[in-house]
Amino acid sequence: MTQYLVSIDLGTTNSVLAFAAPGGDVQLFEVEQLTAPGEIGGAVLLPSSRYHPGAGEFADGELQLPWPEPAVADAPPGAVIGRLARKLGGQVPGRLVASAKSWLSHAGVDRMAPILPWGAAQDVARVSPVAASASYLAHLRAAWDARFPGAPLEQQQVVLTIPASFDEGARALTLEAARMARLPALRLLEEPQAALYDWLYRHRASLAQELAEARLVLVADVGGGTTDFTLVKVEMAGGGPQLTRIGVGNHLILGGDNMDLALAHLVEQRLCADSGSSAGTAAPQRLSAGRLAQLTERCRAAKEALLAADAPEQVSVTLLGSGSKLIGASRSVALRREDAERIVLDGFFPRNEAQQPAQARRGGIVEFGLPYAGDPAVTRHLAGFLRQHAAAAREALGLPDDGKLPVPDTLLLNGGVFRAARLAERLSSTLAAWRGQPVRVLRNEDPDVAVARGGVAYALGRQGLAPTIAGGSPRSYWLLLDNARAAGVTRRAVCLLPRGSASGSEVRLDARSFALRLGRPVRFHIATTLADAVPPQAGAVADLAPDELAALPAIATVLRDSRDAGARKEITVQLAASLTEVGTLEVHCEGNGQRWQLEFQLREHGADDAGAEGADGADGLDGAAAAALPAGLSEALEKVERIFGSRALQVDAREVRQLRGQLEHLLGSRERWATPVLRRLFDALLERAKGRRRSAEHERAWMNLAGYCLRPGYGHPLDEWRIEQLWAIFEAGVQYHRDNQVCAEWWTLWRRVCGGLPPAAQLRLLDDFAFNLQADAAERGRRPATLVNGSEEDMLRLGASLERIPSAYKAEIGNWMVGELPKAKNLASQTRYLWALGRVGARRPFHGSAHDAAPRETVEQWLQAVMQLDWRKVEPAGFAAAHLARMTGDRSRDINHALRAEVVQRLLAAGAPPGWPAMVREVLQLDQASEQRMLGEALPPGLKLLS
């Protein structure tokens, strides 16, 4: 069977497939796709867009492709993909999935959960970023298989390109998308390298002449969703150039999407101004998130036209109406060339004569739920990148260390953004000004397809048929050893894999031994550095500054003895790491004649994803990682053993009730117990969980301490495992169910650890919440024996903590609370309902994903109800309103501007603390007092919420 070399550029904006037959040249594949309902056309570019049609929007057969629709797990069937999807997205708001690739690197959400289109209405089908990416790959596979039925794509040598700055998590998710598209065997290649491979291949006959004067090439790849920088050193050897990649940049969600969005904001202002003037004194309304996405699609084409070499003076941008008023209600404004130059050219590519780095601020564009780069200036990010790699750049250029910024002598521009000639000229002239002499620009004939073609050139190079680029691993990988995670604190780490390590070769840390516990969960924290002045040696221990590190998803697992799966013992191990041929990091643990592979956790809901920061390290590896624990801890654990241990000791009820006081006597006030101490106590309680059933006093004490020691359920190594073990006791309920205090402690336990519970567990808690509050007399007579009674106060506090339940359920809970609020007979009762309502409708959840926030329109209705109260007399009303109206920067969650302004005025008039109106006016972190009040109690020392 003929085996083709195939390369796929899975782009943020467009996807492209290139290929070469054995002995043939590189070709571009024309992808058949829908161009209009019932019409099929071929094009090199497949827009990376999905449109989710409404019921009855198209007649039968209008969306039929030349092949059966590929089935992709978790992707709703019937979606439109490609050119027609993008066209429909510009006409109908809220149904287009775009920029899925940008979401793959956004660790703040569950990237395998159905969250796109972001901010869409409840009746619109949703898809995960991974499944959306898989659907584009599946479309390419189906189109290929239809053209080459005798050579299925999954049986070819496939290269898939990714941003150089993708971390291990995003790389693994990209591979998962390929697996879901039935492309299980492929190789990853970084996009800037692919662009340079394309240029090298096209000039392979004259490379020595073309690169005779080059010493350092900068590849600047600014695509639809990301900005990537790569440095490649050029040396002459054996009569030809030898190329070695020496530096890659940090991940930046900054690209053409941001520029389109900036222009859309300008057009929106003009549309609002026009509608405001035509409506008299009525305040103009901002566009919804869906309508803004629709407008952004329109601004994309306008930007390209206005920044072209032969740009017109202005173009008209039209925002179509909706529903039956699609044409009649459309509005247009003029976008001028000077607008595009001012916003895109000067805003994103300022000349930056002072060579300033990017500013660490939250002043960038924030929309559609994505954490766009705070500083939109590409040239400031570039200056920071060159300074980060200054030592390697000076060595390549042969420059002395004189403190000046070393600037590459050669530039290759890639990415659809540089189709705009003005942007390409601006970046090259900026570099020339920094350098003090011209920079040679390598001509990239078609930035849209260079990466796909370069992937094929890379595959040809592996066969010895084309030029190659050396370099190995672009970053060094480190195992973090200490527990410090506070801002500005250096981290002690041991090098697992030095920068420059070749793919496929394993590096063993033979000189480093670690003690590891078998049969118990272990967790390893790994980070990367990009710009070591001198690549470290494997096994080297170093103190690394926090701004040098980029954390990877944790590795968490339970390692078991293959000869005795139930063994719980400590063994001595060594670590081994390698950069696989696929392009991902692989870590193994060896000891006792056995070998275990350690895999990254990509769908966890703990500290790394939810935004909690705490004291952690390589939990499970003893020695340097052990935290200093108080001297009284051993005696405290003995107290726990005495009360709950397996031996039947004669312990009276009074001693059980005094356990908390005894622990505080040994360890100090429990408010000051550090997180490692709390978790050690919880582990001791968990091991003795059966002892809680000895008496009502035992059960009360055990649940009170267990919940307190595991709060908030995440933020420390192995908390996910602890939650799993704790949840196993839920269905059994309590032993002493007639004891009201036992029941109250039961619900306090689950409220305290709720942040670590997965959605399924929170939905299970919701069932009991609803029963306890809403069941009638007949239903209560049939209550399950294990269902624990809960008071109104317990249930309100529990229900408000369920942040991972779907937003529709939150709307139901909040509507019920608003209905009950007028019935509250006193301030204490009002306070309970207002606190719970503010938590349920919070615009910025503490541990939940932003896509599960209560619907904006519903929260606006709740605010109207809260407005009816006298905030001077009912102070909790202002607190609840501040959280319901809190600013996030995400249009799909933020309440309308007029209502937010009214909330600010009411807060100021009521004399509210300054932090309350401030969080409504701008995007801010909560102060400690507001955080503690919103959570219901303080977080453990050492934990900090970053939501």
Side-chain angles (χ1 to χ4, degrees), residues 540-573:
V541 175
D543 292 319
L544 304 174
D547 56 356
E548 297 176 352
L549 295 170
L552 299 182
I555 294 177
T557 186
V558 177
L559 302 180
R560 301 192 184 277
D561 191 326
S562 60
R563 296 180 288 272
D564 181 5
R568 296 163 73 92
K569 59 186 178 182
E570 187 175 281
I571 64 171
T572 300
V573 298

Side-chain angles (χ1 to χ4, degrees), residues 12 26 32 56 80 120 151 215 347 359 367 414 468 508 560 657:
T12 306
V26 179
E32 290 194 305
V80 181
R215 294 295 176 267
Q359 303 301 306
E367 288 288 358
N414 191 62
T468 59
R508 293 172 53 86
R560 301 192 184 277
R657 290 194 295 270

Side-chain angles (χ1 to χ4, degrees), residues 377-390:
V378 172
T379 47
R380 285 197 286 270
H381 288 287
L382 177 56
F385 165 75
L386 293 176
R387 192 165 284 110
Q388 183 182 34
H389 294 275

Side-chain angles (χ1 to χ4, degrees), residues 15 54 201 269 351 402 409 420 463 587 593 646 668 673 683 754 892:
S15 295
Y201 183 75
Q269 292 172 11
R351 295 191 183 277
D402 54 5
D409 52 29
Q463 296 181 350
V587 182
S646 57
W673 294 352
D683 292 345
C754 204
S892 66

